[in-house]
Amino acid sequence: LALLVVSSDTMPTLQGSTRTAFLLFFISHIPITLLVDGQAFLPRRFYPQVLIDVVDWYANTFKDNLMTHPVLPWFSSIVALEVLFQLPFFFVAVRALLQHDGSTHSDNNVISGSGLFRSFCIIYASSTATTLVPILGCILSDDDTTMTEKGVLLGFYLPYLVFP
């Protein structure tokens, strides 16, 4: 069971399956950012051909025009934010979620709902939500995709708006 412990001056404390879900989210986002999303910002020569082919296959198969090369400058700048600022936070979050917070709880599956980690989480969530608004708007207004294709793309992008 996911347990949330709430006090009046903190956000809910992450424990149990909730903590595990966040841990898996941040762990999985590290290679996604480096190997997939990063291709929209970093020069493609930094990537092996097989990874370039995977991203091209994804963009063509699912008609994700944002990931089609050449990438639009506004989207590349959003991915730059992800690579330069969010990616380091993913490592911080994984480390924090793996460490015991020193609270009075007896298990190691607790993250305190106060302090620096809380602040970083709020900054990350705000940044992610802000950058996803134009991305979702672009997907929804794309005349080259059907409603079904838009729905599939929303399925790829919306979890990053809902989860953090």
Side-chain angles (χ1 to χ4, degrees), residues 61-111:
T61 301
F62 297 103
K63 294 189 178 177
D64 188 343
N65 294 323
L66 295 173
M67 289 298 291
T68 301
H69 280 266
V71 176
L72 297 170
W74 72 267
F75 183 68
S76 184
S77 66
I78 286 176
V79 175
L81 175 70
E82 179 183 353
V83 170
L84 298 174
F85 296 102
Q86 293 179 3
L87 179 62
F89 170 69
F90 300 151
F91 288 97
V92 170
V94 168
R95 183 165 187 242
L97 289 163
L98 288 174
Q99 287 182 334
H100 188 282
D101 69 349
S103 71
T104 58
H105 297 281
S106 60
D107 65 281
N108 284 342
N109 297 332
V110 181
I111 292 299

Side-chain angles (χ1 to χ4, degrees), residues 37-64:
D37 298 352
Q39 290 187 47
F41 166 61
L42 300 168
R44 291 185 111 186
R45 68 178 179 271
F46 292 166
Y47 293 93
Q49 188 61 48
V50 67
L51 289 176
I52 293 170
D53 292 344
V54 167
V55 170
D56 288 345
W57 171 85
Y58 160 79
N60 292 325
T61 301
F62 297 103
K63 294 189 178 177
D64 188 343

Side-chain angles (χ1 to χ4, degrees), residues 63 65 139 141-146 149-150:
K63 294 189 178 177
N65 294 323
I139 290 169
S141 65
D142 186 351
D143 293 334
D144 295 330
T145 56
T146 66
E149 292 164 338
K150 289 178 196 318

Side-chain angles (χ1 to χ4, degrees), residues 135-137 139-140 147-160:
I135 291 170
L136 298 175
I139 290 169
L140 292 171
M147 288 304 291
T148 301
E149 292 164 338
K150 289 178 196 318
V152 170
L153 288 172
L154 290 175
F156 288 126
Y157 285 93
L158 274 178
Y160 297 101

